[in-house]
Amino acid sequence: MTDPNRAPLSPSPQPQPDPRSPAPIPPTTLPPATRHPWTPLLLGLIALSLIPALLLAYGRVQYEQSQKTAALVMDYPALVIQARRYGLEPQALLDRYRALGVGGVALYEDTIASLEQRGEVYLKNGSDLAADFPGQGIKTNAVYMRASTPAIAEELRNRYTIPTREVNIGGRSWIEWPSDPRFLPAGPDTAAINDFKKQGLVVVYRPYQDAAIPTAKVGADWPDVPFIAFTGDEVIGSRTPELLAQVDKVMGKRLPAIIEGNIQDGLADLVATHGGVRLFALAPSYQNKLDPLDVASKYNLAARERGMRLLYLRPYPTINETETMLGRTQDLLKRSGVKLEMPQLGTFAPSSLLKALSMIGPLAALLLLGLSFPLVRLGVIAAGVVVLLAFGLNTLHPFESAALVAAVAFPALGLVLRRSKVTDWFLATGLSLVGVLFVSALGASRESTLGLEPFRGVGLTLLLPLTLVALSFLPRQDIRKTAADIYAAPIRLGDVAVMALGFVLLSLVYERRGNATGGSASNFEASLRREVQDSIIRPRFKEIAAHPLALLGLSGTLPGYFSGLLILAGVVGQSSILNTFSHFHTPLLISAARVFIGLGLGLLLGGLAIWALRYGMQLWKGYGSNRVSARTQP
C-alpha cells in the first residue's frame, strides 16, 4: 500500500533543449500525385501508341546498320603542297596515304590562277607589258592574257560576262581584261579527275561561285562525281532563286555534302530534292594544335557516333604526323565496324501513318502529367502551355511538335506520379525510356538524320521537365496560402550555403555543355579521355551526376527540403536521356548504349552515395556519445 504520509516522488527531470542550438529541421513530405479516373485509360493509350513507335524504331535501326561505311577523303591541294615541300611527287605521296586508308580526294574547281600555274595561260599586268612594248596603246590598269591554245582563250572569254577584247601586241594575240581575272573560277581539271576515278578514288568536287558567270552556265561543266562540297557559308545560288534552281537542276545524281558545324545557306533546299551526305572536317589551325592520336579519335567518333560518311582530311605539317594520324584512324574505324569504301547511302523514309499513330502517346502522357498534379488546375494549365510552346515553336508541324511534347512530358511524368522511395527511380527511368521511342518515331526523318534541325525547342527539353516537377511540389491547398508560406519562411545561413552550392553546380553543368569544356585539361586527362572514348561509348556527364542525386533524394536520407532539391536535380538526368535521343544524326543503338552506360554508372554511384551518407550521419550523431556516457556513470 502507498504510505499517505510519504512525500510523492518528484518526476525525473527532463533534458531541456539548449537555446543556443538550432531548431531541428522538420521532415518534408512531398504531396502525392492525384489519382485521376482517366489514369488507366491514358496509360492504355500510351501502351497502344508504343506499337507503331516500336515499328518505326526497328526500321530506323535497320537503315542505320546498312550505312556503316565511310571514306577518308584527302584535301588534294594541301597534299600537293606537302609533297612539294618534301621533294615528292603528289601521286607518290598519295599512294603512301592510300596504304593507310585514304580512299578519296577533294579537288577544288580550277581558277585562272591555277591554269597559269600549269602553264595553260600566261598573264601580265598592263604596266609591265607597256614597259616591254611602249607606244602600242596598252592600258596600264588592265591585265593581259595569252593562252597556250586558241581553244582555251576562246572558252575563257565566253565563260564570263566580263567584257574583254582581243589585241595584238608585239606580233602576238592577247586578251585584254579590265580587271585581274586570276581568281575567277575556270571549271574542273577534267584530266586529273578522270585519273583519280581510274584509280578507284572517291572524288569530292568543290566548285566556286562568281557573279561573272551567267546563270545558265553555272554547273554545266561539273564533272561526273558522286559528291559536291560547296565552299564558304552558302551554296551557289542561295541568294538568287533562279540561280539556286539552276544548281538544283545540274546536281543530277550528285549529293551535296552537309558539313558539320557549317550548315550552309540554301543547303536545305538541295537536300530536300537530292538528299545529302554528312561530312566531317577539322580546320587546319585547330588540327595542328592537337596530337595526331586525338585527331584520329575525333574522326572515329564522327563516323561511329555522328553518322559522318565523308571524313575530310588535311595533312599535318610533317609526313610522319600525318601517317600516325591516318594509321590510328584506320585502326579505330575497323574496331568500330565502319568499312572504308565508297559510302553506301540510302534514303530514310519513315511511314507517315505510323508517325501519326505514334502522336497519341506523347499527348496522352502530357495530359496524364497535368491531371496528376496535386493542384490539378495548375497541372492542366501547365500542360496547355507546353502544347502551345511545342506547336508554336515548330510552326504547327505535327510530328516535330509531338516529338518536343514527348521530350518534355516523359522525363517529368515518373517523378510526378511517384517519388516516395528509391525504387520509384526505376519507374521514372522506365517512362523516360518509353518517351525515347516516341521522340525517335516522331523526330527522326531524312532531314534530321542528316543532321539538319530536327525540331525547334530542343533546349526546352532540359528546362521544362524541371519546371513541371517543381510545380508539382506545391501542396494541395490554396495557392495563395502557399505563396504566403514561402514568403514568410525564415532563411537560415545554411539555406544560403545550399543555394550557393546549387548555383556552382548549375554553372559547372553549363560550362561543360557541348563537346568542349571551359578549362584546359592535363596531358594525362586528355590521354585518359581519348582512351575511354576510343574504347566505349562515353556517357553524358549530366546523367552520371544527376542519377545518383535522384536516388539520394528518393531515399529520404537528408532532412527537410534537401530531398526535394535532389529529386529536382535528378530530373536533369531523366531529361538528358530524352535529349540524347534528340540528336537524330547519332545512330539509335549508339544513343541507347550511351544512355544505358550512364544509367548503370548512376545506379552504382547512387547506391554508394546512399550508404556513405547514412554511415556518415550515424558517425556524426554518435560522435563522442560513448565518452559522455562513461563520464556520467557512477
Side-chain angles (χ1 to χ4, degrees):
M1 295 180 63
T2 302
D3 187 355
N5 298 321
R6 185 176 178 181
L9 294 175
S10 61
S12 58
Q14 298 294 325
Q16 298 296 320
D18 188 346
R20 295 171 298 177
S21 62
I25 301 175
T28 300
T29 302
L30 298 176
T34 298
R35 179 72 176 181
H36 197 274
W38 291 3
T39 298
L41 172 63
L42 294 174
L43 289 174
L45 289 175
I46 294 172
L48 288 175
S49 190
L50 266 179
I51 298 174
L54 282 168
L55 293 175
L56 288 169
Y58 177 73
R60 179 182 167 187
V61 170
Q62 282 190 314
Y63 164 77
E64 291 168 344
Q65 291 296 102
S66 67
Q67 306 293 303
K68 297 184 69 172
T69 55
L72 296 180
V73 177
M74 182 66 73
D75 184 287
Y76 189 69
L79 180 142
V80 171
I81 292 173
Q82 187 186 57
R84 289 172 177 169
R85 286 177 178 172
Y86 284 88
L88 299 173
E89 287 296 323
Q91 183 63 49
L93 185 58
L94 178 59
D95 291 339
R96 288 176 62 173
Y97 291 159
R98 288 189 67 183
L100 296 171
V102 172
V105 292
L107 202 63
Y108 289 82
E109 180 177 5
D110 274 340
T111 61
I112 291 181
S114 59
L115 298 181
E116 182 184 22
Q117 290 176 353
R118 293 204 299 267
E120 296 182 24
V121 298
Y122 178 72
L123 296 172
K124 198 159 188 177
N125 293 331
S127 56
D128 296 332
L129 195 60
D132 296 336
F133 301 98
Q136 297 195 23
I138 298 172
K139 296 180 179 180
T140 57
N141 61 344
V143 176
Y144 292 83
M145 173 192 293
R146 184 159 49 85
S148 60
T149 65
I152 293 177
E154 188 66 19
E155 194 278 330
L156 290 176
R157 288 190 68 185
N158 296 330
R159 186 179 184 85
Y160 313 103
T161 58
I162 299 175
T164 61
R165 69 188 183 104
E166 188 173 352
V167 296
N168 190 283
I169 301 173
R172 292 183 175 179
S173 178
W174 294 78
I175 299 173
E176 181 185 272
W177 295 79
S179 59
D180 193 341
R182 287 181 173 86
F183 299 104
L184 290 174
D189 185 350
T190 306
I193 291 174
N194 289 337
D195 182 50
F196 291 141
K197 290 169 66 176
K198 288 180 182 178
Q199 297 180 49
L201 293 168
V202 178
V203 179
V204 178
Y205 184 60
R206 308 206 67 184
Y208 293 114
Q209 177 179 5
D210 196 283
I213 301 177
T215 299
K217 293 184 178 181
V218 171
D221 58 358
W222 284 359
D224 182 18
V225 296
F227 307 114
I228 301 292
F230 295 98
T231 59
D233 296 327
E234 57 187 32
V235 305
I236 296 175
S238 65
R239 298 174 182 267
T240 309
E242 296 80 6
L243 183 54
L244 186 60
Q246 167 69 10
V247 171
D248 184 73
K249 182 178 70 173
V250 300
M251 284 292 295
K253 295 182 179 179
R254 306 176 187 94
L255 295 180
I258 303 168
I259 305 171
E260 185 176 62
N262 183 26
I263 304 300
Q264 298 158 312
D265 292 341
L267 184 64
D269 297 294
L270 300 181
V271 171
T273 305
H274 305 277
V277 57
R278 286 175 58 75
L279 182 149
F280 176 76
L282 295 175
S285 58
Y286 177 62
Q287 173 181 311
N288 292 338
K289 296 178 182 179
L290 300 176
D291 185 273
L293 299 182
D294 289 326
V295 172
S297 181
K298 291 182 181 296
Y299 277 104
N300 174 59
L301 188 72
R304 184 186 68 186
E305 300 185 16
R306 299 209 293 277
M308 301 295 172
R309 303 279 72 92
L310 294 178
L311 305 179
Y312 194 104
L313 304 162
R314 294 181 176 89
Y316 268 92
T318 67
I319 293 177
N320 288 339
E321 289 176 299
T322 306
E323 290 181 330
T324 299
M325 180 262 290
L326 291 175
R328 178 64 172 173
T329 302
Q330 185 181 35
D331 292 341
L332 291 176
L333 290 174
K334 184 177 180 180
R335 283 160 49 180
S336 298
V338 178
K339 296 180 181 179
L340 288 176
E341 58 183 41
M342 170 69 79
Q344 304 299 316
L345 301 170
T347 300
F348 181 64
S351 167
S352 298
L353 175 61
L354 293 178
K355 280 193 167 190
L357 294 174
S358 299
M359 285 183 61
I360 299 172
L363 297 177
L366 183 62
L367 180 57
L368 176 60
L369 176 67
L371 295 176
S372 299
F373 267 46
L375 296 174
V376 177
R377 288 184 181 178
L378 178 63
V380 172
I381 292 173
V385 170
V386 170
V387 170
L388 292 176
L389 283 174
F391 281 82
L393 289 172
N394 289 282
T395 59
L396 301 181
H397 287 85
F399 299 146
E400 292 83 352
S401 302
L404 181 55
V405 169
V408 169
F410 281 98
L413 183 58
L415 291 173
V416 170
L417 291 176
R418 284 167 42 182
R419 54 195 179 205
S420 59
K421 52 185 181 296
V422 173
T423 53
D424 291 342
W425 178 81
F426 292 95
L427 172 66
T429 302
L431 287 172
S432 294
L433 294 176
V434 168
V436 160
L437 293 171
F438 290 113
V439 169
S440 174
L442 295 163
S445 62
R446 183 177 70 169
E447 289 74 19
S448 64
T449 54
L450 288 174
L452 302 178
E453 185 70 23
F455 56 80
R456 297 179 182 178
V458 175
L460 296 177
T461 61
L462 294 176
L463 176 63
L464 286 183
L466 187 66
T467 304
L468 291 171
V469 175
L471 290 176
S472 74
F473 286 179
L474 297 178
R476 192 177 285 114
Q477 63 182 19
D478 192 323
I479 196 169
R480 293 171 296 180
K481 182 179 186 307
T482 302
D485 292 343
I486 294 174
Y487 178 79
I491 298 180
R492 307 167 186 238
L493 185 59
D495 297 331
V496 177
V498 171
M499 294 177 188
L501 178 61
F503 178 77
V504 170
L505 293 176
L506 286 174
S507 301
L508 179 63
V509 171
Y510 178 80
E511 189 72 16
R512 295 184 66 93
R513 73 195 187 282
N515 294 325
T517 60
S520 60
S522 65
N523 291 335
F524 172 77
E525 183 182 358
S527 176
L528 181 61
R529 286 180 183 175
R530 183 178 65 234
E531 291 300 323
V532 172
Q533 181 172 278
D534 293 344
S535 302
I536 64 171
I537 309 299
R538 192 173 65 179
R540 303 183 78 180
F541 168 77
K542 290 189 287 290
E543 295 174 29
I544 297 177
H547 292 324
L549 295 178
L551 290 165
L552 198 58
L554 291 170
S555 70
T557 304
L558 290 173
Y561 59 85
F562 290 102
S563 292
L565 291 178
L566 292 177
I567 290 174
L568 287 178
V571 177
V572 175
Q574 300 298 324
S575 300
S576 181
I577 293 175
L578 277 295
N579 188 265
T580 295
F581 283 90
S582 298
H583 300 91
F584 300 110
H585 57 273
T586 300
L588 189 66
L589 295 182
I590 294 292
S591 296
R594 173 173 286 113
V595 164
F596 280 107
I597 291 173
L599 288 172
L601 289 174
L603 183 60
L604 175 63
L605 294 174
L608 292 175
I610 293 172
W611 173 83
L613 184 60
R614 288 175 175 173
Y615 183 73
M617 292 179 68
Q618 289 178 357
L619 290 179
W620 178 268
K621 292 178 180 178
Y623 178 75
S625 58
N626 293 333
R627 288 181 296 175
V628 172
S629 300
R631 290 175 183 174
T632 57
Q633 288 179 359

